[in-house]
Each structure stands twice: as C-alpha cells, then as structure tokens.
C-alpha cells in the first residue's frame, strides 16, 4: 500500500506590509487541490489583494494539479487587481516552468523575498 502524504492544511498569516502569507503544509494532489483554493475567496472578499503562498512545508506537489490550482487562484486575485507570489524549493519553480507559467507566477526562494517583491518597486 502506497503512503499518502499528510493531508493538506493551509495556515493564514498576515504581515504588517499588507501582504497575506498562506503556508501550505502537507501534500497537494488531485484530492487536496481545492483545499489550497478555499481560503482565497474570503480573503479577497475582505479586501486583501496581495498574497504569498509558502510551499516550504509541502511534502508532495503534483505539478500539474498543484500548479493548476495556483493558476486558478492567481486568476481570481488578478481579476481583483491583486498580486500573487510563491515561495518554496526548486520543485515549485520546476512545476511552474513545466506548466509554462514562469511569466505569470513568480517563485522566490524565501517568504521574505516574496514579500519584498510586493512592497518594493
């Protein structure tokens, strides 16, 4: 029997720079991709516009499904005039490249770098 990754959990952390950081913990696959998208509706309705998703504690990233979920989130954020940056290991950057979204989704090595990208011109 194949081991499944830890179920995905998304923790929300606000910063003092008007950027909401969401930390994904566990695995992102076909069963959990919707969990990644869920928090954004309420955050956008509350007026938040700038986001970072931290993939540092993601155990499994199904590239196609995971990045497709992120792309849907990005479209909703963009429609409201917002921004989205990703932070995480090289596997996240590779998944974005494989999906052909490197000009749409920016991937930073750390959350701090991703936040600075939002607040610095």
């Amino acid at each position: 029997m194949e081991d499944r990754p830890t179920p995905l959990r998304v923790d929300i952390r606000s910063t003092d720079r008007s950027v909401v950081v969401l930390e994904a913990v566990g695995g992102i696959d076909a069963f959990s991709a919707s969990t990644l998208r869920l928090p954004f509706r309420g955050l956008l309705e509350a007026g938040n516009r700038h986001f970072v998703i931290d993939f540092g504690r993601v155990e499994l990233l199904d590239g196609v499904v995971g990045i497709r979920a992120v792309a849907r989130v990005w479209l909703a954020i963009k429609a409201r005039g917002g921004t989205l940056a990703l932070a995480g290991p090289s596997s996240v950057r590779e998944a974005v490249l494989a999906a052909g979204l490197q000009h749409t989704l920016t991937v930073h090595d750390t959350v701090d770098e991703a936040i600075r990208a939002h607040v610095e011109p």
Side-chain angles (χ1 to χ4, degrees):
M1 182 177 194
E2 190 175 311
D3 288 338
R4 291 223 24 188
T6 304
L8 181 64
R9 182 180 86 234
V10 179
D11 297 329
I12 301 169
R13 301 185 322 229
S14 290
T15 71
D16 59 355
R17 298 180 187 170
S18 302
V19 178
V20 178
V21 178
L22 294 95
E23 181 182 34
V25 180
I28 302 173
D29 58 14
F31 300 104
S32 63
S34 62
T35 300
L36 181 64
R37 294 189 308 263
L38 285 174
F40 286 94
R41 176 177 283 168
L43 290 167
L44 286 165
E45 288 175 2
N48 297 288
R49 294 293 179 263
H50 305 290
F51 301 90
V52 171
I53 303 175
D54 178 4
F55 285 93
R57 294 181 53 200
V58 170
E59 301 166 6
L60 167 80
L61 175 61
D62 178 321
V64 174
V65 173
I67 295 305
R68 187 175 296 149
V70 173
R72 286 185 182 141
V73 165
W74 175 79
L75 287 171
I77 293 169
K78 182 181 174 197
R80 301 239 183 154
T83 60
L84 173 67
L86 312 179
S90 61
S91 59
V92 176
R93 187 172 281 107
E94 291 166 9
V96 168
L97 285 169
L101 295 172
Q102 66 273 15
H103 301 292
T104 302
L105 299 172
T106 57
V107 182
H108 302 271
D109 292 330
T110 68
V111 170
D112 286 340
E113 288 175 13
I115 291 171
R116 279 195 301 274
H118 281 297
V119 297
E120 294 176 359

